[in-house]
Amino acid sequence: MNGHAPHEGDAQASPVILDGRHLSAALHAAGPIEPALIEAVNHLNLRLYPRDHQAGDRSAYVVLDLHGVSIGVKRRTDDLYLHADTSETSDQRIAFEINGGGETDHPTH
């Protein structure tokens, strides 16, 4: 994580970042861990951007980076905002599912 926490309501504050390698080191310290979990966590980054009160955000914007994809989530006044960024991959479509309703394909370009 960076050295300081952003001030709540300060939309211009720097994000708080957790590098998966730091989390992996903490998991190792806890005892034996499944190798597949360590591999996934080593490639994970978590970013948190403070909520923007002026825009009506109800939560911080949390972004998970894994497998070359960024998934961002925040609660807004009237909805849940979910963002998927695959611009660093060669994927031509995303198959996603909401609440067990079956997969839906979405083109990436």
Side-chain angles (χ1 to χ4, degrees):
M1 283 191 219
N2 61 12
H4 66 283
H7 298 286
E8 184 152 339
D10 182 0
Q12 301 304 314
S14 298
V16 175
I17 300 171
L18 173 63
D19 184 312
R21 292 171 295 189
H22 294 117
L23 183 55
S24 178
L27 288 173
H28 274 297
I33 302 293
E34 172 67 35
L37 176 61
I38 295 298
E39 181 180 347
V41 169
N42 277 336
H43 293 95
L44 171 134
N45 287 306
L46 185 65
R47 295 179 276 146
L48 179 124
Y49 298 85
R51 72 183 190 178
D52 183 349
H53 291 279
Q54 294 176 338
D57 292 344
R58 292 183 6 214
S59 74
Y61 183 52
V62 179
V63 181
L64 171 73
D65 302 311
L66 185 62
H67 301 309
V69 177
S70 295
I71 303 293
V73 180
K74 72 176 170 178
R75 293 206 169 275
R76 301 190 297 200
T77 302
D78 296 326
D79 61 14
L80 174 70
Y81 175 74
L82 178 63
H83 176 86
D85 183 337
T86 63
S87 60
E88 294 183 16
T89 73
S90 61
D91 298 317
Q92 297 297 308
R93 66 186 168 96
I94 299 173
F96 66 96
E97 184 172 2
I98 298 173
N99 297 334
E103 287 188 16
T104 302
D105 290 345
H106 190 280
T108 60
H109 303 285

